[in-house]
Amino acid sequence: MKRTISKVLLIAVTAAVVLSSCSKVPDVSKHIPKTAGVVIDLNAKEITQKLATNGLTMDKIFSAVQSKDTANDVMKAWKDAENSGIDLKGHFFVSFVFQGQAGEHKSYLSATATLSDADKFEAFLKKSEKNFSLKTGNEFKYAVEGDNKGVIAWNKSTVIYIAAFDPEEGLNKYNPAGTPGLPGVDDGEVAVDSAVATPAALTSGDDEITKSLVTEVDHLFHLKKDETAGSLEPFAKLLKENADMGVFVNPEAIYNSGRFTMIPANFKKLMEGTFYTGIVNFEKGKIVANGSYYMGKEVASIYKKYGNKEIDMSMLKKYPSQNITGFISYAFDFHMVGEIIKSTGMDGIVNMFLASKSGLAMDDILNAFEGQLTYVASDFGIQKKESKYFPGEFTEEPSAKWIFSLKVGNKDAFTKVMTSPMLKEIFTKEGDHYVLSNPMMAAGMPPLSITEKYITVGSDSVLLQDYLAGKGSIKLPEGIEGKIKGSMMGGYVDLEKIITSIPEDKADEADRPILVKLKGLMKDMSMVTKPANGNVSESEVILNFKNKDENSLVQLMNFGTEMAKIMDAKKAKNKAMEDSLFATPVDTATTIIK
């Protein structure tokens, strides 16, 4: 099987994903630049132990997943990777560096890993790469991957794979149009930062893109300490966490890359010192994800003024149901949005637009709402519903009861909004309520209540009136109320109720075993974001499994391998059916004549 250089690292990174912690900062991280916009850390050591403790090895995983005709090739590739000299139980970093303006092709991604044996790695490349050509740089060696124009470079302890980052080749569906792609040679900032190292010599056959990649990888091998991502406190703290996986986002690096030239300079200033980090740990019976939002000086000052809000538990607790499917409650002062707009100098334009359309100012809208909102759903199920257009015909559709409520802020500001030219033709005030002026429009919308205290929408009028009257109270799962009380955001989803409501008899016969296994896997999920402590806001998401005694990663791996077997059997069955349909028919007429 032909294997390119990139496939070597792909096998290794795949292993890190399914294997992927120690409190010590990994030495290999010193090759990640502080200009990286996004960094993903896959830590294999702890996860390897979690899988091994439960009797799972890579050999068993690959042999279980692969079909007979591909198992040998995949297993051989895995065995090759094991003997490649790459430390498959170390850290793997994937970094996205955004540079230059759109169309300049200066951005790149890099994969960085630890080498356990550099000589063995070099020998592995020579053996596996048909057109392998070894070149020497400044204290490192490298080889060029011809087809994808990637460069793989290594020294005694580290291997770096660097390639063009072009959103039009697979990533454009996840990123805004105009994301920069290939690295260029005219990146002045990189040239200055790389002054400590002499760029590697190149042969005359190397093109400009390859030259720029080699220049970049040379830079990465010779980063000064203050040029590394580790010099940023949030990144350094992330690496010290005892986590299985981690992610780091530097908005300032992305905004300053040149790809957001239309964003006001003041907004970029607002992002200075702002970072996002997240970690994921696979524990017994659950997956725990923790996020940290580090606010820069400008954002922190806005947050200090408006951000200290807690969710209004009364809006949640008066929901009249004992059969909750899920909810989300959020406390967010809309004045924070106004302050951000003002800090960018765009408030004048916003006010002009609003005045021309509605006669309102931005502050009128911000003052009209308190920033407390709640959405609750209950009684989820699959019900038969008769078609509106074809009486007598029924279909099975998901069904649930629900309430959405938004708390009103300043009464005078709210009245001004509701009586503005934009809304006065749509709503009419009747007593202490606002109602839709057009009966036909009202008939086609869910039941709605608008007062000077709340805007509330419900799935049906009975539920809406019971909620508004405060009849009954919600029954929350054990521990949820205490977890979300005092938070900025709290949420919960009963996954077990949703999944178990799916009728098995409606699933395809081949897919039914997957549904059955899925019903035995997930239990529920909770989410919470606490008010900031200083300039850091913490959040947590917990995904609970029904089996509380087995590691969540092991459960996912077992489910994944079983699903792969089922899908492989389905594929084989479909192929056999196709072969029988398109088989050459016997010419019975000719046979009889003969």
Side-chain angles (χ1 to χ4, degrees), residues 86-103:
I86 299 176
D87 183 4
L88 299 181
K89 293 184 179 181
H91 281 260
F92 288 78
F93 291 97
V94 179
S95 308
F96 296 85
V97 180
F98 302 89
Q99 297 181 148
Q101 297 186 9

Side-chain angles (χ1 to χ4, degrees), residues 27 32 68 74 76 103 128 145 179 197 204 234 238 240 306 309 321 328 331 346 404 441 449 469 495 525 532:
D27 187 65
I32 300 173
K68 292 181 179 180
V74 174
K76 186 176 186 303
S128 61
E145 185 182 34
T179 304
S204 58
L238 171 69
K240 292 179 181 178
Y306 296 109
K309 287 183 75 72
S321 177
I328 184 167
M346 299 293 290
F404 172 80
M441 181 183 294
S449 170
L495 298 172
M525 181 173 65

Side-chain angles (χ1 to χ4, degrees), residues 14 237 254 310 391 471 513 576:
T14 301
K237 185 177 179 180
I254 298 174
E310 299 177 359
K471 295 181 179 179

Side-chain angles (χ1 to χ4, degrees), residues 193-210:
D193 289 341
S194 306
V196 294
T198 303
L202 298 168
T203 63
S204 58
D206 293 318
D207 59 19
E208 293 301 311
I209 293 176
T210 301

Side-chain angles (χ1 to χ4, degrees), residues 343-357:
S343 68
T344 63
M346 299 293 290
D347 52 314
I349 296 175
V350 172
N351 281 320
M352 287 178 61
F353 175 80
L354 289 173
S356 65
K357 298 294 182 179

Side-chain angles (χ1 to χ4, degrees), residues 382-447:
I382 305 297
Q383 295 184 353
K384 283 187 176 182
K385 292 186 177 181
E386 186 174 8
S387 172
K388 296 180 180 179
Y389 308 103
F390 302 99
E393 291 191 9
F394 294 85
T395 57
E396 291 188 344
E397 299 177 3
S399 175
K401 296 182 178 181
W402 56 268
I403 286 287
F404 172 80
S405 186
L406 175 65
K407 197 170 187 178
V408 172
N410 181 274
K411 178 181 176 180
D412 294 335
F414 181 71
T415 301
K416 187 175 181 180
V417 170
M418 294 302 295
T419 57
S420 67
M422 181 173 59
L423 296 178
K424 69 177 183 180
E425 300 298 329
I426 301 176
F427 294 99
T428 301
K429 191 171 185 181
E430 294 182 357
D432 61 347
H433 283 68
Y434 290 91
V435 298
L436 287 165
S437 303
N438 188 328
M440 293 184 63
M441 181 183 294
M445 292 185 64

Side-chain angles (χ1 to χ4, degrees), residues 47-225:
I47 291 188
T48 303
Q49 295 174 353
K50 291 177 180 179
L51 291 176
T53 301
N54 290 270
L56 282 180
T57 64
M58 288 301 299
D59 291 38
K60 290 183 179 180
I61 292 170
F62 277 125
S63 61
V65 172
Q66 296 299 316
S67 58
K68 292 181 179 180
D69 57 341
T70 61
N72 291 336
D73 286 341
V74 174
M75 284 300 299
K76 186 176 186 303
W78 167 244
K79 290 298 182 182
D80 288 343
E82 278 188 313
N83 298 313
S84 66
I86 299 176
D87 183 4
L88 299 181
K89 293 184 179 181
H91 281 260
F92 288 78
F93 291 97
V94 179
S95 308
F96 296 85
V97 180
F98 302 89
Q99 297 181 148
Q101 297 186 9
E104 289 186 338
H105 308 305
K106 293 182 178 180
S107 297
Y108 65 88
L109 65 86
S110 65
T112 310
T114 302
L115 285 181
S116 57
D117 191 325
D119 293 333
K120 185 182 288 187
F121 179 70
E122 183 176 332
F124 171 74
L125 291 181
K126 290 178 180 178
K127 178 182 177 181
S128 61
E129 187 64 19
K130 183 178 180 180
N131 298 318
F132 177 78
S133 177
L134 180 65
K135 300 180 182 181
T136 304
N138 182 13
E139 300 178 335
F140 69 93
K141 299 177 181 180
Y142 72 95
V144 177
E145 185 182 34
D147 294 340
N148 295 325
K149 298 190 182 299
V151 172
I152 187 165
W154 66 98
N155 58 18
K156 292 182 179 181
S157 60
T158 305
V159 56
I160 300 175
Y161 177 77
I162 183 171
F165 174 48
D166 189 346
E168 293 183 358
E169 295 181 5
L171 293 178
N172 56 336
K173 60 182 177 181
Y174 303 113
N175 291 280
T179 304
L182 306 178
V185 296
D186 55 344
D187 190 354
E189 180 182 351
V190 172
V192 173
D193 289 341
S194 306
V196 294
T198 303
L202 298 168
T203 63
S204 58
D206 293 318
D207 59 19
E208 293 301 311
I209 293 176
T210 301
K211 288 180 182 179
S212 68
L213 290 175
V214 176
T215 298
E216 290 290 352
V217 81
D218 188 294
H219 169 54
L220 296 179
F221 272 119
H222 299 91
L223 288 173
K224 297 177 182 178
K225 187 175 182 179

